[in-house]
Amino acid sequence: MEEEKKKIRVVIVDDSAFMRTAIERMLKSDPSIEIVGSAANGMEAIDRTVRLKPDVVTMDVEMPIMDGYEATRAIRSLTDEKLSKIPVIAMTANAFSEDVKKAQDAGMNGHIAKPIDVNNMMNVLREVLGAE
């Protein structure tokens, strides 16, 4: 009997319910991915990260209450070292090199431009998780 591979646990963060649903559908096309939760703002993102302990977080950068940059910096400052190192991938329509740098400076591990290209998203996920 073949051993079942551990699924990649993902939390999706975006202030748009439409985008959260779209991203979830794209990710679910890969059977190795499990969506464990979602959030509509940065405060919820921190809560979901702490409670659900995902393998990766997709993070919109422009959101109400707390943006994705602030939320990522807060995740990076968590006292639990494992949680503080969870890969965070920026998902934003801001795709200029300075936007990519701003995401890196906030502690994000990858950057995906919207509109989202499924193949690019999967490649970035594999890259930040060190999987081939």
Side-chain angles (χ1 to χ4, degrees):
M1 191 159 94
E2 197 174 309
E3 191 177 317
E4 192 174 320
K5 279 185 154 178
K6 181 181 174 280
K7 291 193 176 212
I8 299 165
R9 297 167 39 85
V10 180
V11 167
I12 299 167
V13 183
D14 199 295
D15 61 329
S16 162
F18 173 82
M19 281 305 299
R20 287 192 307 273
T21 301
I23 294 165
E24 181 171 345
R25 284 189 180 141
M26 287 181 224
L27 290 172
K28 279 185 168 179
S29 69
D30 185 324
S32 70
I33 294 175
E34 177 184 5
I35 308 304
V36 294
S38 65
N41 63 62
M43 292 295 286
E44 290 179 3
I46 297 163
D47 173 70
R48 302 306 184 279
T49 300
V50 170
R51 281 191 310 106
L52 302 172
K53 298 171 181 48
D55 298 310
V56 65
V57 176
T58 65
M59 182 81 73
D60 186 14
V61 296
E62 292 182 15
M63 297 180 289
I65 303 173
M66 178 186 280
D67 71 28
Y69 301 121
E70 290 177 85
T72 300
R73 285 191 286 272
I75 290 168
R76 295 295 174 244
S77 68
L78 292 170
T79 55
D80 181 319
E81 190 176 332
K82 188 172 182 189
L83 288 176
S84 72
K85 292 184 176 172
I86 288 173
V88 178
I89 300 171
M91 289 196 163
T92 177
N94 304 330
F96 293 107
S97 59
E98 58 266 21
D99 300 308
V100 174
K101 179 160 180 14
K102 190 173 179 181
Q104 291 170 336
D105 290 346
M108 295 178 168
N109 305 83
H111 185 280
I112 297 171
K114 293 178 183 176
I116 297 167
D117 172 270
V118 179
N119 290 328
N120 180 52
M121 180 173 59
M122 295 305 189
N123 289 336
V124 172
L125 266 171
R126 283 192 273 287
E127 186 180 304
V128 302
L129 292 169
E132 288 303 314

